[in-house]
Amino acid sequence: MKLRSDDRHWGTIAKSFHWIVALAILGNGVFGLCMDLASNPMQKINWLALHKSIGLTVLALMLLRLAWRWPDGRPREEPAPRWQLIAARATHAMLYLLALALPLSGWWYNSVTGKPLQFFKLFNLPGIAAKDDALRHFSHAVHEYLFWFLVLVLVGHVGAALKHHVFDGDDVLRRMLPFGKLRNDKTQAGERP
């Protein structure tokens, strides 16, 4: 397994960022939606603190992912109609944008409520906006709607990956799976492609 991506494979680091960020966002989103199930106010406060810390972790991982993505290679695109290639690029750009906007909107919401923002009880982060009760509900709605929009885009992303895998029989999905083996991949057998 290679660390860096090449013209046929996503590298181990790119794959790791992809799956860790995806699972963290989805898990933290479900966790955020379940906050009202807390059995008492103290538990809800602790869950909310954990939700915020995971969100900040997602933001840090996305920034690292972007820093890694810039110099890393990328597999060449599978042959497809031009509209599909454009749709794939637009979807990926939207996923990156939403994965950054979602934790930033949570930070903004936390800031306008005037509450402290701790990172796993290790240190506090400053607010990115002044306390503003008039923006409290609006900022929360933005945060929540960004999550649902991300889920919608993600459904399209996963659907397209499955379409490539099941109907097209190409390597789009296999290249991103942690242990995905490409069809006719001679480099895995030690041969030159």
Side-chain angles (χ1 to χ4, degrees):
M1 292 172 55
K2 298 178 186 179
L3 291 180
R4 297 190 70 89
S5 303
D6 60 32
D7 67 334
R8 286 192 40 85
H9 310 88
W10 286 107
T12 303
I13 294 176
K15 288 180 184 183
S16 298
F17 275 131
H18 177 273
W19 290 107
I20 290 169
V21 167
L23 293 173
I25 289 173
L26 289 176
N28 204 31
V30 171
F31 186 48
L33 294 171
C34 293
M35 295 268 184
D36 291 334
L37 300 177
S39 59
N40 61 61
M42 196 63 212
Q43 184 181 44
K44 186 170 184 174
I45 289 169
N46 288 331
W47 285 6
L48 188 57
L50 182 59
H51 176 74
K52 293 174 187 181
S53 294
I54 294 170
L56 290 169
T57 303
V58 167
L59 179 59
L61 287 171
M62 276 306 298
L63 293 172
L64 288 171
R65 183 177 183 182
L66 286 170
W68 176 258
R69 179 72 184 86
W70 193 266
D72 193 30
R74 70 174 291 139
R76 64 181 174 265
E77 294 173 325
E78 293 280 344
R82 188 169 190 276
W83 72 267
Q84 285 184 11
L85 298 174
I86 292 169
R89 289 183 202 125
T91 301
H92 284 105
M94 187 61 68
L95 286 170
Y96 273 75
L97 181 67
L98 289 167
L100 290 168
L102 188 60
L104 285 171
S105 69
W107 193 345
W108 176 49
Y109 169 58
N110 190 81
S111 299
V112 299
T113 62
K115 295 178 182 170
L117 182 60
Q118 285 189 336
F119 182 71
F120 292 109
K121 298 184 181 180
L122 298 173
F123 56 86
N124 287 352
L125 282 97
I128 57 173
K131 183 178 185 212
D132 187 341
D133 289 332
L135 285 175
R136 182 176 179 194
H137 293 295
F138 176 72
S139 61
H140 182 266
V142 167
H143 185 59
E144 191 170 340
Y145 285 124
L146 281 173
F147 172 71
W148 289 114
F149 187 50
L150 175 63
V151 168
L152 182 65
V153 175
L154 188 60
V155 166
H157 177 66
V158 170
L162 291 174
K163 176 246 181 215
H164 278 278
H165 187 72
V166 174
F167 296 107
D168 298 345
D170 61 28
D171 288 325
V172 168
L173 178 61
R174 287 183 189 96
R175 291 189 302 205
M176 189 49 80
L177 291 174
F179 302 103
K181 187 175 181 181
L182 305 185
R183 296 173 299 127
N184 303 320
D185 189 1
K186 297 178 181 177
T187 61
Q188 301 241 350
E191 300 174 35
R192 304 268 318 158

